[in-house]
Each structure stands twice: as structure tokens, then as C-alpha cells.
Amino acid sequence: MRVDVVSIFPDYLAALDLSLVGKARRTGLLDLRVHDLRGWATDRHRTVDDTPFGGGAGMVMRPDVWGRALDDVLPAGGAGHLVVPTPSGEVFTQRHAERLALEAHVVIACGRYEGIDARVAERARAAGHRVSELSIGDYVLNGGEVAALVMIEAFGRLLPGVVGNPHSLVEESHGAAGLLEYPVYTKPPAWEGLEVPEVLLSGHHARIERWRRDRALERTAARRPDMVAALDVAALDKADLAV
Ligand SMILES: NC(=O)c1ccno1
């Protein structure tokens, strides 16, 4: 999978050299390239923004500079997926991460100031690329770089071979069961007067699975009632019977 990130602060993406994403880059699982948008500016000041039409505070990122950048980094023939992090986007979820992990080439355009001229996304769609304007949450950041880090971490870890034990991806929060993950424990069994739940020490796998499923349901109901409303309980019960 190839990922191109375009930003006026490319050093912001340095964290992508670390941990599992960094290892995926070094082993060739992820071809991640970071570009400085100012490389496509043409004036001596390497200007990338201008005042907004219609007035208003702040500056807007210029379509000509972004157009030249995306012409160079998006794949020919409209086969790419352009992601634009923005607080006005559709909320990014695990489903988006799963879909992006299946893409051959993703380009992430990190806006700054008041955002990127709307014609940039429009032109990319007209060229045949998929375009997703996505928000990592209901709050405003100073630019798209942090959101790009979040999204790349979320879909990058789903690439085959990135996470050591693929089974660890199965029971995570927001997985196929639509639940939050159950509480986890490790040694020692007793710590500062706090005991690990007895069932987890029992070796009775069916009871352990049932206990975990019940705790996941409780946690989801307490913290994310919206997810409970969307639960496929019949599928859960089937899964339960399989335990
Ligand atoms: N909420 C977001 O994803 C975002 C991106 C840029 N600013 O905010």
C-alpha cells in the first residue's frame, strides 16, 4: 500500500517513523511518502494561501498549488483515494480504517488556515478519484496533520503482517461484534489488595469467553449507548452459543 501525505509541516509526520507503522515502512509493507506542499508553490515566498472570497477571517489554501501537488502524487487514471481531514467531514470510524486498509494508494491532503479551496476536492472527484472528507472527532485542530497520524495508525495496523498476532485485531473495540473491548488483566493475580476476577484464573474457556462478552456488553451500554442501539444481538447470541 502506498500513502502520500502532503503538508506545509512535513516534520509533523515524523512520528510515522516509529513503532508498528515505522516497521511497516522499513519492511516494505507500507510505502509512506511525506511531501512539503510549498514545493509546488511558484513564487519566491512559496505562498500557499490567499484571502477568502466572500470575506471572513483567516486565509484559504490555494487551488493552483494543491492542484499541482495532487497531479504529482495521485495515481494516473483516477485510481487513487484522496482523504482530506477536516472538522466538517464525515466522522472517521473503524469501518473507514478497514476500507482504507484495502486501498492500493491513499493521498492525505493536510489543510491549514481556514482550509483548502473546495475546488481541489471537486477536481479530484471529476478526475475519477475517490474523495473522502473525514473528521477524527467533533473538535477543531490547527490543521490536518494530527488527523493524518490518527488515520494512518488506524488503517496501517490493519495491513496484513503489521500486527504480530492478527487474532489480536479480532476482539478489539469497534470490531465485528460492534462492542467495546472487555477489561484486561495480567500478573500479579493480586496487586495492592485488588484481585483479578476469579473466572480468568479458572482455565474454563467457555466461562471466560462468556464473562468477557458480558463485560464488553456492560462497558458498551455504560459508555456508548449509541453502539448498543446498533447491535446485532442475534449475531451476538449465535457467537455466544459458539463459545
Ligand atoms: N476534527 C478533525 O478531524 C480536524 C481536522 C482538522 N481540524 O480538525
Side-chain angles (χ1 to χ4, degrees), residues 85-87 134-144 147 151:
T86 169
L134 298 176
S135 168
I136 59 168
D138 293 342
Y139 38 79
V140 181
L141 305 169
N142 292 323
M151 294 179 197

